[in-house]
Amino acid sequence: MRTLLRLEGAVVLGVALAAYAQFGAGWGVFALWLLAPDLSLLGYLAGPRTGAALYNAAHSYVGPVLLLALGVLAGMPWAVAGSLIWLAHIGMDHALGYGLKYASGFAATHLGRIGKADPW
């Protein structure tokens, strides 16, 4: 299952990159905003429960898909570009194995544990 979810992330990344290339918003903007969703990691300063909630809010497909719909329906190019960058970020994270977090700690994700396995 983990392999399928990581493959899904790679596909989302590829489609978002292809769509962004066709959209023509500029790669400088893409590079500038690609890691912006990771600012949600600051939530971990308030504890693992808050950190996981903020991280998951920024790394769920719901937000960027709603932003994409808004951009398309309202004719807002900045929203379309932003949603594609956001989708690319989430796809990249999922393809690399960084999944949505559980409140038990940063390393516990829906794609499995991040980091080295505990030897004990």
Side-chain angles (χ1 to χ4, degrees):
M1 185 57 70
R2 186 179 322 170
T3 302
L4 181 61
L5 291 172
R6 290 181 73 171
L7 180 60
E8 175 185 77
V11 169
V12 169
L13 172 61
V15 169
L17 287 172
Y20 191 85
Q22 293 298 312
F23 190 68
W27 292 105
V29 171
F30 185 91
L32 180 67
W33 290 103
L34 181 62
L35 298 179
D38 284 340
L39 291 174
S40 63
L41 289 169
L42 294 174
Y44 278 94
L45 295 174
R49 187 181 235 24
T50 302
L54 290 175
Y55 182 90
N56 291 343
H59 288 81
S60 165
Y61 290 123
V62 174
V65 169
L66 289 174
L67 185 61
L68 180 62
L70 173 70
V72 169
L73 296 174
M76 301 165 64
W78 63 267
V80 173
S83 68
L84 293 173
I85 296 168
W86 196 357
L87 285 165
H89 175 89
I90 296 170
M92 176 182 67
D93 273 7
H94 289 187
L96 293 174
Y98 297 104
L100 299 175
K101 310 298 183 206
Y102 291 106
S104 60
F106 179 79
T109 79
H110 85 288
L111 294 175
R113 189 151 184 81
I114 297 172
K116 293 184 179 180
D118 188 1
W120 306 107

